[in-house]
Amino acid sequence: ASASPSAPELERHLPTEAGGTPLTIQSATAADGLGNDPTSRAFAAVIPTLGGKLSDLEIAQAYDEQQATDLNIFAFRLPGADGTKLKQAVIDTWLSAGAAGVKRSDVTLAGKAFTKIDYGDGGAIDYVFSGTDYVIVVETSDATIATEVAGKLK
C-alpha cells in the first residue's frame, strides 16, 4: 500500500497481489486523482446527483509496476452514497459503456456479481463490482486473473 494513503478505507478493499505478482496501490482524492479528459469530467459532473460532493470522492488504483501482469484495478468511493448508483455512474460516464458497439453483460466471478464491459476491440475487458459505497473496476484481457482478483476483493 502507499506510504500515507489518501483513501485508506478504499485501499483496504483492493488485493495486494495477483498472479503471484505484487501490486502497487495508490490513492487520492478526486481533486488530485481525477483527470480533465471528457469521461472523467462527465463522471465528476454526476457526483452531486448521487448526494455527494466531488471533494468527498476517493480514488484508488492497484497495478503491477513492472507491467508483467495484464491488470489494472481502479476503485472509487463516495462515503454515504449508494454503491449501486455509483457503479451505474462509473459505467455510464467514466467507462463510456453506453457507446454504440460496447457490450454490457452481468457475470459472476468468484461468487461476486460484476458487470462486464466489452469494447469489442479485442483489448482489455472491464469488470465492474460495487460494494456499499464503493466501486471497483478490474481491467484485464485475462479471465483467469479477473476471477482471481474477484476472489480477493474485500
Side-chain angles (χ1 to χ4, degrees), residues 28-45 54 57 59 76 94:
T29 60
D32 298 324
L34 208 55
N36 284 322
D37 58 283
T39 57
S40 293
R41 291 175 63 208
F43 180 50
L54 188 57
L57 181 67
I59 301 169
F76 304 93
W94 193 68

Side-chain angles (χ1 to χ4, degrees), residues 18-34:
T21 302
L23 300 176
T24 299
I25 299 176
Q26 296 178 323
S27 63
T29 60
D32 298 324
L34 208 55

Side-chain angles (χ1 to χ4, degrees), residues 43-100:
F43 180 50
V46 81
I47 295 303
T49 71
L50 300 175
K53 294 184 293 204
L54 188 57
S55 58
D56 295 333
L57 181 67
E58 300 170 0
I59 301 169
Q61 181 179 13
Y63 60 96
D64 170 13
E65 275 190 77
Q66 308 305 315
Q67 298 182 340
T69 305
D70 173 20
L71 175 67
N72 277 300
I73 304 169
F74 303 95
F76 304 93
R77 178 173 179 256
L78 188 60
D82 179 327
T84 304
K85 291 179 181 174
L86 182 60
K87 176 182 177 181
Q88 197 58 51
V90 168
I91 289 170
D92 290 343
T93 61
W94 193 68
L95 294 175
S96 300

Side-chain angles (χ1 to χ4, degrees), residues 16 19 39 64-65 73 88 90 98 106 108 114 117 122 124 128 150 154:
T16 56
T39 57
D64 170 13
E65 275 190 77
I73 304 169
Q88 197 58 51
V90 168
D106 294 327
T108 301
F114 283 77
I117 309 296
V128 190
K154 301 176 194 107

